């Protein structure tokens, strides 16, 4: 499995865009990049994922570099409710339905939105 | 759909006691997994399963057993609880690989 590296903490002003980086320099061609967040002690919540193209949904945008060695999660207009720990992971899918499912999370980035 | 349901929400055990943490999902997900989270740390994978009858070890499997007799349920067993197993435990499930994980709300376990 590819490992990911994230900064331990970041601050962002309320209403501004929050840009969270993730390095995955050993990512393989069939590995997806996933982002999750964990608010307080709740179970992590899925945000977005992508393979090589940039992706956008109602929560965030995901920008993946052309060499796929890093990505950035963008929360376009951060609110206080976006204060959370954000995890970037990679997940491989090989074979028919099952891949290497040993999904490991790092310690993530603690994002604090400042009023 | 109820999603991923974990029971109990809280549990206190004495050293040496055994117990089973329950996890059930009603989304017909093939993949299920257990994580533990200690204060200030990320999630560490304990065991996972890619389908009924199939289980495998994660990063920190020692002291824990699992089985997957049905698609819906993936219980985690502590045979002889130790204080080092004090943690918050999360169960997760998804469709086949490359699908988002759905997490339960966690079980907070204290071993004294």
């Amino acid at each position: 499995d590819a490992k990911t590296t994230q900064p331990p903490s970041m601050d962002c002003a309320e209403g501004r865009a929050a840009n969270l980086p993730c390095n995955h320099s050993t990512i393989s061609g069939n590995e997806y990049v996933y982002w999750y967040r964990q608010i307080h002690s709740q179970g992590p919540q899925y945000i977005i994922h992508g393979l090589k193209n940039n992706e956008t949904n109602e929560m965030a945008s995901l920008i993946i570099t052309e060499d796929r060695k890093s990505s950035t999660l963008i929360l376009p207009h951060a609110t206080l409710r976006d204060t959370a720990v954000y995890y970037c992971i990679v997940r491989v899918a090989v074979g028919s339905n099952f891949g290497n499912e040993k999904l490991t999370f790092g310690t993530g980035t603690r994002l604090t939105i400042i009023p | 759909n109820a999603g991923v349901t974990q029971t109990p929400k809280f549990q206190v055990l004495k050293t040496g006691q055994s117990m089973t943490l329950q996890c059930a999902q009603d989304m017909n997900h093939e993949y299920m997994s257990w994580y533990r989270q200690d204060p200030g740390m990320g999630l560490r994978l304990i065991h996972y399963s890619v389908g009924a009858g199939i289980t495998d070890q994660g990063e920190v499997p020692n002291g824990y057993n699992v089985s997957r007799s049905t698609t819906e349920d993936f219980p985690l067993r502590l045979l002889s609880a130790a204080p080092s197993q004090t943690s918050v435990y999360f169960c997760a499930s998804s469709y086949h690989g490359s699908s988002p994980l759905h997490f339960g709300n966690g079980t907070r376990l204290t071993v004294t």
Side-chain angles (χ1 to χ4, degrees):
Chain A
D1 283 335
K3 299 292 185 184
T4 61
T5 305
Q6 300 177 253
S9 64
M10 293 180 64
D11 294 337
C12 178
E14 188 178 16
R16 305 295 294 268
N19 295 277
L20 291 88
C22 180
N23 286 321
H24 29 80
S25 58
T26 59
I27 193 170
S28 300
N30 60 352
E31 287 182 317
Y32 291 76
V33 180
Y34 277 80
W35 283 85
Y36 294 82
R37 72 180 182 184
Q38 187 175 26
I39 298 174
H40 297 302
S41 303
Q42 298 174 16
Q45 174 192 25
Y46 164 77
I47 302 173
I48 198 167
H49 74 287
L51 183 63
K52 58 177 95 173
N53 297 322
N54 298 337
E55 303 287 345
T56 296
N57 63 20
E58 65 278 4
M59 292 181 67
S61 294
L62 173 61
I63 307 298
I64 303 174
T65 58
E66 192 169 341
D67 63 7
R68 301 187 70 241
K69 293 184 177 182
S70 65
S71 61
T72 301
L73 178 74
I74 301 173
L75 308 177
H77 304 287
T79 71
L80 297 179
R81 285 175 293 184
D82 292 322
T83 292
V85 178
Y86 288 77
Y87 296 98
C88 163
I89 71 168
V90 294
R91 185 174 193 184
V92 67
V94 298
S96 57
N97 283 323
F98 306 124
N100 182 348
E101 297 289 23
K102 206 166 185 173
L103 301 175
T104 55
F105 287 71
T107 52
T109 296
R110 181 172 297 278
L111 175 68
T112 302
I113 305 302
I114 300 171
Chain B
N1 287 348
V4 179
T5 302
Q6 290 185 238
T7 56
K9 288 186 169 57
F10 301 93
Q11 183 70 50
V12 179
L13 290 178
K14 294 187 187 303
T15 298
Q17 286 184 318
S18 63
M19 80 158 295
T20 299
L21 280 63
Q22 301 291 345
C23 177
Q25 51 89 12
D26 61 356
M27 298 171 283
N28 202 31
H29 285 168
E30 298 153 324
Y31 177 79
M32 296 186 75
S33 58
W34 278 101
Y35 292 87
R36 62 176 288 176
Q37 186 171 38
D38 301 307
M41 298 184 68
L43 298 157
R44 290 187 291 170
L45 180 66
I46 305 172
H47 286 286
Y48 66 97
S49 168
V50 297
I54 306 169
T55 64
D56 208 344
Q57 296 181 346
E59 303 170 270
V60 289
N62 292 341
Y64 307 95
N65 282 349
V66 292
S67 59
R68 185 92 181 272
S69 56
T70 67
T71 299
E72 295 78 19
D73 300 298
F74 191 44
L76 179 72
R77 298 183 185 87
L78 284 70
L79 297 179
S80 180
S84 60
Q85 293 178 305
T86 293
S87 189
V88 180
Y89 292 85
F90 290 102
C91 178
S93 73
S94 76
Y95 288 113
H96 60 81
S98 305
S99 300
L101 286 170
H102 296 252
F103 283 84
N105 286 327
T107 294
R108 284 145 184 81
L109 175 67
T110 301
V111 183
T112 60

